[in-house]
């Protein structure tokens, strides 16, 4: 127990590159958006000052319009594609030009609430509050200008669940042609059988080319993107983040800001309700180009519980769905419904267990009045990490480790689970 917590702390320290943490050495040599939010919460369990620093360094990458990029390229590295030259932005430090699920407000709130150094925590939170508010305004303005209650995600990388089968149908519309020459580096570090396929990568880069051609202008990107989905994960995390931001605004913001945030919460609550799939008993993504719902259940489909956005009956039904999944695998929560033909135990987001998603699902299950299932998800997560170490992800059928070793966000989650 102590060993595993020591190892988790050592992993975070080892991946520290000077105030920001790389997800893992080599495979991911920069600062990633939602990884860092979880990492900050992990650091907060033993080094509060370092936790704030992680958030501040991520915000160095924030754009003037409020976007918090998916990647901040603090220092050059040859180990990753597509690097800053492909994105071609003028921001300093260089960044990518898409985003990731906004876990930052929940993370900042938690770092604040668990702080023992109250003076420092108050001051550092006060300093970053405007950046968080600006980011949530960006989501509304850039990704839901028509106020539908469902923000659009324009790239599978923005969902953080790159090759989830929830995107298969929508991605089929994206051409495999690129102007950028694709020079993958991930397959050099990791067994290709565990990574997205070659054609997935062509499509990922087609989208990047398309957005660069749109000058990274939010309205032009939204109009031009051949991939536009309402991702249950992103929509749920944003709704949760708005509630945390509302709590923060009561301490650090104004009455007008509170009203503005409450207004977005009401809008997003109505939006997320439309993603409920009555037949499957889980929330599912929607294609915003043709309105078609996704047809496969994924672990993101439980995240509306983390957003506190379920009716009592939906809480009960989604817990029953998860219990059904548990009959098919040894460990929870597989990233894809293990009864679905799309389930692949080792391929990245098409089956493996990801500790960060488990942590959010467990939080949601507690809220939903399902403490036993929440405890099961936490216990499984701890067992996987304690047995194999803080790997990138795990095979739900046998618990075997996969992807990259010594992964920061997995270590952070181990610390959060105590
Ligand atoms: C992969 C994951 C993404 C994560 C990143 C860094 O791209 O799909 O969720 O943020 O790696 O760990």
């Amino acid at each position: 127990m102590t060993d595993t917590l020591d190892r988790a702390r050592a992993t975070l320290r080892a991946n520290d590159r000077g105030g920001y943490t790389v997800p893992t050495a080599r495979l991911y040599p920069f600062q990633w958006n939602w990884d860092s939010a979880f990492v900050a919460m992990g650091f907060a369990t033993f080094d509060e000052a370092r936790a704030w620093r992680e958030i501040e360094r991520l915000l160095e990458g924030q754009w003037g319009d409020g976007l918090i990029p998916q990647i901040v390229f603090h220092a050059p590295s040859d180990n990753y594609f597509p690097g800053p030259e492909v994105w071609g932005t003028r921001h300093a430090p260089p960044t990518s030009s898409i985003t990731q699920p906004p876990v930052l407000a929940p993370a900042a709130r938690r770092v604040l609430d668990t702080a023992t150094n109250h003076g420092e925590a108050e001051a550092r939170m006060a300093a970053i509050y405007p950046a968080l508010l600006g980011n949530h305004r960006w989501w509304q303005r850039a990704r839901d200008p028509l106020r539908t209650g469902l923000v659009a995600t324009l790239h599978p990388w923005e969902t953080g669940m790159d090759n989830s089968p929830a995107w298969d149908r929508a991605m089929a519309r994206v051409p495999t042609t690129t102007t950028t020459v694709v020079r993958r580096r991930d397959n050099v570090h990791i067994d290709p059988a565990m990574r997205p396929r070659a054609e997935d990568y062509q499509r990922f880069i087609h989208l990047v080319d398309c957005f660069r051609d749109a000058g990274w202008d939010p309205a032009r990107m939204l109009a031009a993107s051949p991939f536009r989905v309402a991702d249950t994960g992103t929509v749920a995390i944003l709704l949760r983040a708005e509630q945390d931001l509302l709590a923060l605004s009561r301490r650090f913001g104004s009455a007008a800001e509170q009203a503005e945030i409450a207004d977005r919460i009401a809008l997003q609550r109505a939006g997320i309700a439309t993603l409920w799939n009555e037949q499957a008993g889980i929330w599912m993504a929607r294609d915003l180009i043709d309105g078609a719902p996704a047809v496969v259940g994924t672990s993101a489909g439980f995240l509306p519980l983390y957003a506190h956005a379920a009716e009592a009956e939906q809480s009960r039904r989604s817990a029953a769905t998860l219990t059904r999944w548990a009959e098919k695998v040894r460990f929870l929560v597989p990233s894809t419904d293990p009864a679905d033909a799309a389930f692949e135990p080792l391929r990245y987001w098409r089956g493996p267990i990801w500790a960060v998603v488990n942590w959010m699902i467990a939080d949601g299950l507690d809220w939903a009045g399902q403490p036993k299932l929440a405890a099961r998800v936490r216990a499984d997560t701890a067992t996987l990490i304690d047995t194999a170490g803080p790997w990138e992800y795990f095979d739900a059928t046998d618990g075997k480790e996969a992807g990259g070793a010594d992964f920061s966000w997995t270590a952070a989650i181990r610390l959060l689970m105590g």
Side-chain angles (χ1 to χ4, degrees):
M1 180 77 169
T2 325
D3 280 359
T4 191
L5 296 181
D6 281 347
R7 180 163 179 195
R9 286 186 280 264
T11 299
L12 291 187
R13 293 280 191 222
N15 290 340
D16 185 349
R17 295 289 179 274
Y20 72 92
T21 309
V22 295
T24 184
R26 292 185 301 281
L27 180 62
Y28 296 119
F30 310 108
Q31 186 176 23
W32 260 257
N33 178 333
W34 74 327
D35 294 64
S36 273
F38 291 106
V39 161
M41 292 190 274
F43 266 123
T45 64
F46 65 102
D47 185 343
E48 290 171 22
R50 182 59 186 74
W52 290 112
R53 196 75 198 111
E54 186 77 25
I55 296 174
E56 291 157 2
R57 297 237 51 193
L58 180 66
L59 290 172
E60 288 172 15
Q62 186 172 28
W63 289 19
D65 68 356
L67 166 85
I68 302 180
Q70 162 223 18
I71 305 175
V72 185
F73 301 108
H74 288 289
S77 168
D78 286 338
N79 277 334
Y80 182 81
F81 174 87
E85 63 294 338
V86 175
W87 298 95
T89 54
R90 282 183 299 273
H91 194 276
T95 68
S96 72
S97 319
I98 56 175
T99 189
Q100 267 194 326
V103 197
L104 201 58
R109 184 181 179 198
R110 188 183 169 100
V111 176
L112 175 74
D113 287 352
T114 57
T116 54
N117 188 338
H118 298 291
E120 179 184 22
E122 294 274 328
R124 291 177 93 161
M125 184 64 235
I128 64 169
Y129 167 80
L132 298 181
L133 180 65
N135 178 244
H136 287 208
R137 285 175 172 162
W138 173 87
W139 273 103
Q140 173 72 60
R141 205 174 45 241
R143 296 307 177 83
D144 186 21
L146 299 179
R147 297 181 56 85
T148 65
L150 291 173
V151 289
T153 293
L154 304 184
H155 196 298
W157 287 341
E158 290 200 318
T159 70
M161 304 186 183
D162 311 5
N163 64 338
S164 167
W167 320 135
D168 286 358
R169 190 178 164 282
M171 276 302 267
R173 197 185 284 129
V174 179
T176 53
T177 50
T178 62
T179 48
T180 300
V181 180
V182 177
R183 288 203 181 85
R184 286 179 75 169
R185 303 288 302 159
D186 58 318
N187 279 345
V188 179
H189 304 295
I190 300 287
D191 177 357
M194 297 184 189
R195 298 287 307 176
R197 298 160 310 165
E199 67 190 83
D200 298 330
Y201 250 81
Q202 293 293 128
R203 294 191 163 102
F204 292 157
I205 299 303
H206 179 96
L207 290 170
V208 172
D209 287 342
C210 165
F211 303 154
R212 198 184 45 237
D213 291 348
W216 308 119
D217 173 73
R220 287 173 61 198
M221 282 169 67
L222 191 63
S225 183
F227 179 88
R228 195 156 71 233
V229 300
D231 161 31
T232 41
T234 301
V235 164
I237 289 168
L238 180 61
L239 175 51
R240 168 59 185 261
E242 293 283 20
Q243 294 167 73
D244 286 317
L245 187 68
L246 180 60
L248 291 171
S249 80
R250 293 199 180 102
R251 293 170 64 183
F252 302 96
S254 68
E257 287 161 5
Q258 287 155 40
E260 166 200 326
I261 298 165
D263 178 57
R264 286 201 299 268
I265 290 173
L267 186 67
Q268 291 171 26
R269 272 191 189 286
I272 207 169
T274 68
L275 298 181
W276 173 251
N277 185 315
E278 181 60 29
Q279 213 187 341
I282 191 171
W283 289 264
M284 284 196 192
R286 174 169 326 131
D287 190 318
L288 292 175
I289 293 180
D290 66 8
V295 291
V296 50
T298 65
S299 53
F302 299 106
L303 291 177
L305 302 176
Y306 176 66
H308 303 176
E311 307 284 345
E313 180 61 8
Q314 292 170 334
S315 292
R316 204 191 54 72
R317 292 243 5 242
S318 55
T321 301
L322 185 56
T323 306
R324 233 177 10 258
W325 287 23
E327 289 160 12
K328 296 252 180 242
V329 286
R330 266 183 67 195
F331 298 94
L332 289 176
V333 177
S335 41
T336 295
D337 177 353
D340 196 285
F343 177 74
E344 291 184 68
L346 276 177
R347 200 181 286 279
Y348 218 40
W349 290 95
R350 303 181 76 87
I353 298 170
W354 294 73
V356 291
V357 180
N358 277 14
W359 188 76
M360 292 186 286
I361 291 176
D363 180 293
L365 286 167
D366 269 335
W367 170 84
Q370 300 286 341
K372 269 207 189 128
L373 206 46
R376 159 84 200 266
V377 170
R378 287 197 184 96
D380 280 9
T381 316
T383 301
L384 291 167
I385 300 171
D386 293 353
T387 309
W391 282 73
E392 188 175 10
Y393 45 92
F394 303 89
D395 184 335
T397 65
D398 60 8
K400 235 178 115 16
E401 69 279 7
D406 300 313
F407 231 81
S408 299
W409 67 1
T410 312
I413 294 301
R414 187 64 193 84
L415 293 168
L416 289 174
M417 291 191 168

